[in-house]
Amino acid sequence: MSKLVAKLRPLRTKIDRLDREILKLISERADVVAQVGTVKRRLGLPIRIASRERKILRTLTDLNTGPLPSSSIAAIFHSLIEECRRFEASSCEIRDNSHFAQSQNQVKTVAVIGIGLMGGSLARALCKYAPEYRVIGFDPKLSRRATTEFKLTNTIQEALQADVVALAMPVSAILAFLRKEGAHLRPGTIVFDLGSTKKLIAETAKRTLPRGVCFVGGHPVAGKAVGGFANSEADLFQGRPFVLSVGSSPPERRAAREIERLILRIGGRPHRMNAADHDRMLALTSHLPQLLATALAATASRTLGRRLPIHGSAFFEMTRVAESDFVVWKDILETNKLYIANILVSYQNILQSFINYGDGRATQALFDEGCRFRKKLRLKKESSC
Amino acid sequence: MSKLVAKLRPLRTKIDRLDREILKLISERADVVAQVGTVKRRLGLPIRIASRERKILRTLTDLNTGPLPSSSIAAIFHSLIEECRRFEASSCEIRDNSHFAQSQNQVKTVAVIGIGLMGGSLARALCKYAPEYRVIGFDPKLSRRATTEFKLTNTIQEALQADVVALAMPVSAILAFLRKEGAHLRPGTIVFDLGSTKKLIAETAKRTLPRGVCFVGGHPVAGKAVGGFANSEADLFQGRPFVLSVGSSPPERRAAREIERLILRIGGRPHRMNAADHDRMLALTSHLPQLLATALAATASRTLGRRLPIHGSAFFEMTRVAESDFVVWKDILETNKLYIANILVSYQNILQSFINYGDGRATQALFDEGCRFRKKLRLKKESSC
C-alpha cells in the first residue's frame, strides 16, 4: 500500500512541471495575442474572427493523437482562446481610454463604502487600472488587515469627505445610509451607488441629499456565485455592462460623465438607462430568472423528496442560481415588487398555454419565437468582443 | 493598410506553433494522469481529490506573472484539469469493464436504425470501444459515403436480421417502426430504443412485437446543442446516465443484462427505471426546463420587441435550450402530455406564491428549500467522477 502511495509523488511532480511549462506557453501566447489585438484595432477588425477560431480548433483536434479525446482538446483550447480573447478585448479598451489619465491632472478621492464582493472589486479595480484616483475603503465589519491595497478608514466622517462616495451595499443598507448620512455630505460630492434596483434609491437620494451633492445611480451587471471581500477581484467589471441612471440637471449630467470615465477606466461598459426602465429590464433578465430557478429547484425538492434526479445539463444549469442566498434577494424582491409581479403574470400566461397544449400549434409558435430571440442574443454575445 | 495585414501572418504562425506545443504538453499530462488513475484505483482512492485541484490552481495563479489575469489562468487550467479527470475516470471504467470482452466469445450484430446524433454516436461508440460487436447502420436519409466506420445497409430486411436492433429515432418514428416492422422481427432478437419518452413506446412494443422478441426501453440522458450524424461522436455517452425500462419476464431481464453490458462498454451508466417513473422524472428534469427556457425567451421577446436586453449570465444560460428545434420536442410534448401538465401545475403554484409576495417569509422558505436541493445536486455531481 505505502509503496503504491509513494508512486503517486513523482507522478504528481511530473504533472506540476508540465503545468508550469503549459503556463509559460499560455503567457507567451497571450503576449502574441495582444500584438494581434493592436494590429486588428488599427485595421478596424473585430477582436473575434469566428472562422479563425474554428480553424484553430479543427487543426488542433486533427493533430491530436490522444490519449485525450478530441472533444476534450476542443474544450480546453476553447477555454484558452476565450480567455485570451477577453484579455485582448480588455487591453484594447484600456489603451483606448488612456487619454483620460492624461486629461485628469487633479487627484480625486473615491470612498468605497461597503467592502464586500462589489465594493472590494471596485476598490481593487481602481487601484489596478486607475491610479489617478486615491481610494479609501470604509466598512464597519472589515478589519484593517483585510487589505493592504487601498487605504481603509474607520471613521465614516473621513469617508464622507471624498470627492466621490460609492455605496456598495445591499439596497436596504444604501437606503439607510442615504437617510442617515445623506444630509452630512458636503456640496460638490458625487454620490454613486452599486445597488441592484434603482428606482427607490434614486427617489430616496432626491429626498435626502443636500443641494450641491450630485447623485448617480449605478448597477454593474456583473457578479460571482460567491460574495465577500475575499472573492472580490480587480477584473470583475471587465467587459460587463454598468447601468447608470442619471438625473436631467447639468450638474447631474456632469457628475454622470465623471462616473462614466471611472467605469471605463476599470473596464466596464457604461450604459445609461432611467431608473424605472432599469428596474423593469432587470425584473425580466435577472429577478425573473432567479425566481424561475428557485421554483424549479423547490419543485424538484418537493417532487423527489430525498432522492436526487436523473438529469441532463439544462436542469443543472437552470437551477444554478437557486443556490443564491435569500439575504441578497430579499431587498431586490421588496424594492422591485411591482415590476416583478407584472413580468411573472406575463410569464404565467405562457406557461398556462403549455398546460392547454392542444394540437401543438400555439406551442410551436412559442418555440419559434423563443428560438429566434435566443439566437439573436447569442450572436450578439459572440460578436461583442 | 496592407503592411499591417502582412503583420498578422507571422503573429498567427507563432500562435499556431505555441498551440501545437501546448497540445503536446497536454497530451503528455494526460498520459501521466492515466498512470495516477491506475495507482488511485488500486488504492481505492477517488478520481477527484478537491484539495489537490485547489492547490494546483493556487500554485499556478501564484506563479502567473501575466499578461493574462489570474482569473483567466484559473479558468483555463480548470478546463484542462476537468478534461483530464474525465479521461482518467473513463479510462478506469473501460478497464473495469474489460472482462466483458473476454466473456463474450460470440460476435453479435447490432443494427442501429436512424443514424443521427444518437444513432451515429452509438454506432461510433460500439466501433471504438466494443469491437466484439459487428455494427450495421440503416437510415434511408443517409448516403453510404457518410461513414466508413461501420457497415451501412440500404435494406431494412438486413437490419432486421441483427441480434440487437437499436431504434435511434424521434419517438413518433420509433412508434411507426414498431407498428410497421415490429411483426417481422425474428424470435431471439433484442429490440432496444433510445427515445426520449418511454411509456407509450413500451406499450406499443408490447402490442406489436411477436413472441420471442425481447424489448428493452432505453434513454441516454446525453446530448448536444446540435443534431445530425455530422455531430455524433463515440464519446457522447461517457459517464452519462442511460435509463433502461425493463419488463419482468426472465427473457426480458436477460435481454436487459445484454443491453446493460453494451452500455457499460460504451462508457454509459445504466440505470433501471420503469417507463412511467422515467417519464415522470424526465417531465421534471428535462421537459419542464425546456418549457421554462422557451417561455423565458418568448416573454423577453414580447417584452422587448426588437431590442436586446442588458443581462447577466443567469439569463443567458437559462434561455440556452430555447434554441432547441420544435421538431425534436413535438413528439416529447405529445407523448408525455399528462406528466408535463402535472408538473407544470405544481410549478405554477410556486410562481403564484412569488406574485403574492407578502412579508417574504414564504419566499424565504422556498429559497431555502431550493438552495438545499441545488447544493446536494452540485455536491453529488462534484463527487461523481
Side-chain angles (χ1 to χ4, degrees):
Chain A
M1 188 72 148
S2 60
K3 256 193 190 167
L4 269 174
V5 175
K7 264 194 174 176
L8 278 179
R9 194 160 315 141
L11 291 173
R12 285 181 165 164
T13 310
K14 210 162 163 184
I15 289 177
D16 293 342
R17 181 183 55 73
L18 286 165
D19 283 346
R20 281 196 301 276
E21 286 178 40
I22 295 170
L23 172 64
K24 218 179 112 212
L25 290 171
I26 288 173
S27 303
E28 241 179 87
R29 187 187 199 279
D31 278 329
V32 185
V33 161
Q35 295 173 44
V36 170
T38 309
V39 178
K40 274 194 203 158
R41 202 166 49 107
R42 284 204 218 143
L43 287 166
L45 284 176
I47 296 287
R48 178 166 198 261
I49 299 178
S51 59
R52 160 84 179 144
E53 283 191 23
R54 275 199 302 272
K55 204 180 138 198
I56 292 181
L57 288 182
R58 211 170 36 234
T59 309
L60 288 166
T61 49
D62 284 351
L63 282 173
N64 178 37
T65 55
L68 285 181
S70 288
S71 58
S72 290
I73 296 299
I76 296 165
F77 275 93
H78 175 77
S79 162
L80 171 58
I81 291 170
E82 185 74 18
E83 295 301 329
C84 283
R85 181 155 61 83
R86 200 170 293 171
F87 162 69
E88 187 180 344
S90 70
S91 59
C92 283
E93 262 168 36
I94 290 164
R95 236 169 290 133
D96 286 344
N97 302 328
S98 57
H99 65 275
F100 288 131
Q102 290 142 23
S103 72
Q104 296 294 105
N105 40 22
Q106 186 199 350
V107 174
K108 296 215 164 172
T109 304
V110 180
V112 180
I113 308 204
I115 311 283
L117 176 69
M118 284 296 164
S121 297
L122 176 64
R124 287 177 181 214
L126 287 168
C127 293
K128 182 169 174 184
Y129 296 116
E132 71 274 22
Y133 292 99
R134 185 174 154 260
V135 183
I136 297 180
F138 175 78
D139 192 326
K141 280 184 275 175
L142 195 80
S143 80
R144 276 178 168 270
R145 283 178 307 166
T147 173
T148 52
E149 293 165 273
F150 42 90
K151 188 173 172 271
L152 285 176
T153 170
N154 52 10
T155 68
I156 186 74
Q157 285 71 25
E158 188 183 355
L160 295 184
Q161 296 305 310
D163 302 294
V164 177
V165 174
L167 307 176
M169 299 168 283
V171 177
S172 61
I174 293 173
L175 295 172
F177 176 92
L178 288 171
R179 289 181 192 127
K180 193 176 162 215
E181 309 287 352
H184 307 135
L185 285 158
R186 61 180 177 81
T189 310
I190 300 176
V191 181
F192 156 58
D193 84 297
L194 289 88
S196 305
T197 60
K198 299 269 61 75
K199 200 159 163 264
L200 190 57
I201 291 177
E203 287 163 5
T204 307
K206 203 165 188 174
R207 262 203 332 273
T208 56
L209 296 179
R211 238 179 120 85
V213 174
C214 285
F215 177 75
V216 178
H219 179 206
V221 185
K224 271 189 164 186
V226 282
F229 175 72
N231 295 301
S232 66
E233 53 172 301
D235 291 343
L236 190 70
F237 309 105
Q238 293 289 336
R240 299 298 310 154
F242 204 122
V243 176
L244 292 182
S245 301
V246 182
S248 55
S249 75
E252 283 172 315
R253 277 150 61 190
R254 269 199 302 280
R257 280 198 297 276
E258 171 80 36
I259 299 303
E260 229 155 37
R261 260 200 294 276
L262 184 153
I263 289 163
L264 282 168
R265 296 283 291 139
I266 60 172
R269 295 184 178 164
H271 189 105
R272 292 211 192 176
M273 194 183 267
N274 80 49
D277 284 346
H278 168 275
D279 288 1
R280 212 181 284 117
M281 175 70 86
L282 273 285
L284 167 70
T285 65
S286 166
H287 314 161
L288 177 61
Q290 173 63 48
L291 295 177
L292 299 183
T294 295
L296 180 55
T299 304
S301 165
R302 285 170 186 199
T303 310
L304 300 168
R306 290 164 157 265
R307 274 185 306 158
L308 282 175
I310 296 275
H311 64 89
S313 55
F315 181 80
F316 195 74
E317 70 193 18
M318 290 185 70
T319 48
R320 180 179 64 87
V321 292
E323 285 198 50
S324 301
D325 199 335
F326 186 65
V327 171
V328 178
W329 280 91
K330 191 175 180 4
D331 285 1
I332 296 175
L333 298 178
E334 269 167 14
T335 56
N336 205 23
K337 224 183 262 194
L338 274 179
Y339 290 134
I340 293 174
N342 276 344
I343 200 76
L344 269 170
V345 168
S346 309
Y347 189 84
Q348 288 265 45
N349 288 336
I350 292 185
L351 281 196
Q352 191 58 44
S353 81
F354 292 139
I355 298 179
N356 316 329
Y357 180 77
D359 63 359
R361 263 183 287 184
T363 301
Q364 163 136 39
L366 286 166
F367 267 71
D368 293 347
E369 184 171 6
C371 183
R372 271 196 307 276
F373 172 82
R374 183 47 166 69
K375 264 190 189 147
K376 269 197 292 185
L377 193 69
R378 175 171 52 80
L379 293 174
K380 184 196 159 204
K381 189 178 182 182
E382 285 174 1
S383 67
S384 72
C385 283
Chain B
M1 190 70 148
S2 60
K3 256 194 192 167
L4 268 175
V5 176
K7 265 195 174 177
L8 279 179
R9 195 160 316 140
L11 291 172
R12 286 182 165 165
T13 310
K14 211 163 164 182
I15 289 177
D16 293 342
R17 183 184 54 74
L18 287 164
D19 282 345
R20 280 197 301 275
E21 285 178 43
I22 294 170
L23 172 64
K24 218 180 114 212
L25 290 171
I26 288 173
S27 303
E28 241 179 88
R29 187 188 200 278
D31 278 329
V32 186
V33 161
Q35 294 173 44
V36 169
T38 309
V39 178
K40 274 196 204 155
R41 202 167 48 107
R42 285 204 217 143
L43 287 167
L45 285 175
I47 296 289
R48 179 165 196 261
I49 299 178
S51 59
R52 160 84 180 144
E53 283 191 22
R54 276 198 301 273
K55 206 181 135 198
I56 292 181
L57 288 182
R58 212 170 37 236
T59 308
L60 288 166
T61 49
D62 285 350
L63 281 173
N64 178 37
T65 54
L68 286 181
S70 287
S71 58
S72 290
I73 296 299
I76 295 165
F77 274 93
H78 175 77
S79 162
L80 172 58
I81 291 170
E82 185 74 15
E83 295 301 329
C84 282
R85 182 156 60 82
R86 201 170 293 173
F87 163 68
E88 187 180 344
S90 71
S91 60
C92 284
E93 261 168 38
I94 289 163
R95 238 169 289 134
D96 286 344
N97 302 329
S98 58
H99 64 278
F100 287 131
Q102 290 142 22
S103 73
Q104 295 294 106
N105 41 22
Q106 187 200 348
V107 174
K108 295 214 166 174
T109 304
V110 179
V112 179
I113 308 205
I115 311 283
L117 175 68
M118 284 296 164
S121 297
L122 176 64
R124 287 177 183 216
L126 286 168
C127 293
K128 182 169 173 187
Y129 296 116
E132 71 275 22
Y133 291 99
R134 185 174 153 259
V135 182
I136 299 179
F138 175 79
D139 193 326
K141 281 185 272 176
L142 193 80
S143 80
R144 276 178 169 269
R145 283 178 307 166
T147 172
T148 52
E149 293 167 276
F150 41 91
K151 188 175 172 269
L152 285 175
T153 170
N154 53 10
T155 69
I156 185 73
Q157 284 71 24
E158 189 184 353
L160 295 185
Q161 296 305 310
D163 303 294
V164 176
V165 174
L167 307 176
M169 300 168 281
V171 178
S172 61
I174 294 173
L175 295 172
F177 176 92
L178 288 171
R179 288 180 193 128
K180 194 176 161 215
E181 308 288 351
H184 306 135
L185 285 156
R186 60 179 177 82
T189 310
I190 301 176
V191 181
F192 156 57
D193 85 297
L194 290 87
S196 305
T197 59
K198 298 268 61 77
K199 199 158 163 265
L200 191 56
I201 291 178
E203 287 164 3
T204 308
K206 203 165 187 172
R207 261 202 332 273
T208 57
L209 296 180
R211 239 180 120 82
V213 174
C214 285
F215 176 75
V216 178
H219 178 206
V221 185
K224 273 188 162 185
V226 281
F229 174 72
N231 296 301
S232 65
E233 53 172 302
D235 291 344
L236 189 70
F237 309 104
Q238 293 289 335
R240 299 297 311 152
F242 204 122
V243 176
L244 293 181
S245 301
V246 182
S248 55
S249 75
E252 284 172 315
R253 278 150 60 190
R254 269 199 301 279
R257 281 198 296 276
E258 172 80 36
I259 299 302
E260 229 156 37
R261 260 200 293 276
L262 184 154
I263 289 164
L264 282 168
R265 296 284 290 139
I266 60 173
R269 295 184 177 165
H271 190 106
R272 291 210 192 176
M273 193 182 264
N274 80 49
D277 284 346
H278 168 275
D279 289 1
R280 211 180 284 118
M281 174 71 85
L282 273 285
L284 167 69
T285 65
S286 166
H287 315 161
L288 177 61
Q290 173 63 48
L291 294 177
L292 298 182
T294 294
L296 179 56
T299 304
S301 166
R302 285 171 186 199
T303 310
L304 299 168
R306 288 163 159 269
R307 275 185 306 157
L308 281 176
I310 295 274
H311 65 89
S313 55
F315 181 79
F316 195 73
E317 70 193 20
M318 290 185 69
T319 48
R320 180 179 65 88
V321 291
E323 285 197 51
S324 301
D325 199 334
F326 187 65
V327 171
V328 179
W329 279 92
K330 191 175 177 11
D331 285 2
I332 296 175
L333 299 177
E334 268 166 17
T335 56
N336 205 23
K337 223 183 261 193
L338 274 179
Y339 290 135
I340 293 174
N342 276 343
I343 200 77
L344 269 170
V345 168
S346 309
Y347 189 84
Q348 288 265 46
N349 288 336
I350 293 185
L351 282 195
Q352 191 57 43
S353 80
F354 292 139
I355 298 179
N356 317 329
Y357 181 76
D359 64 0
R361 262 183 289 183
T363 301
Q364 163 135 38
L366 286 167
F367 266 70
D368 293 346
E369 184 171 7
C371 183
R372 270 197 307 277
F373 171 82
R374 184 47 166 70
K375 263 189 191 149
K376 269 196 291 182
L377 194 69
R378 174 171 52 79
L379 294 174
K380 185 197 157 202
K381 190 178 181 180
E382 285 174 1
S383 66
S384 73
C385 283

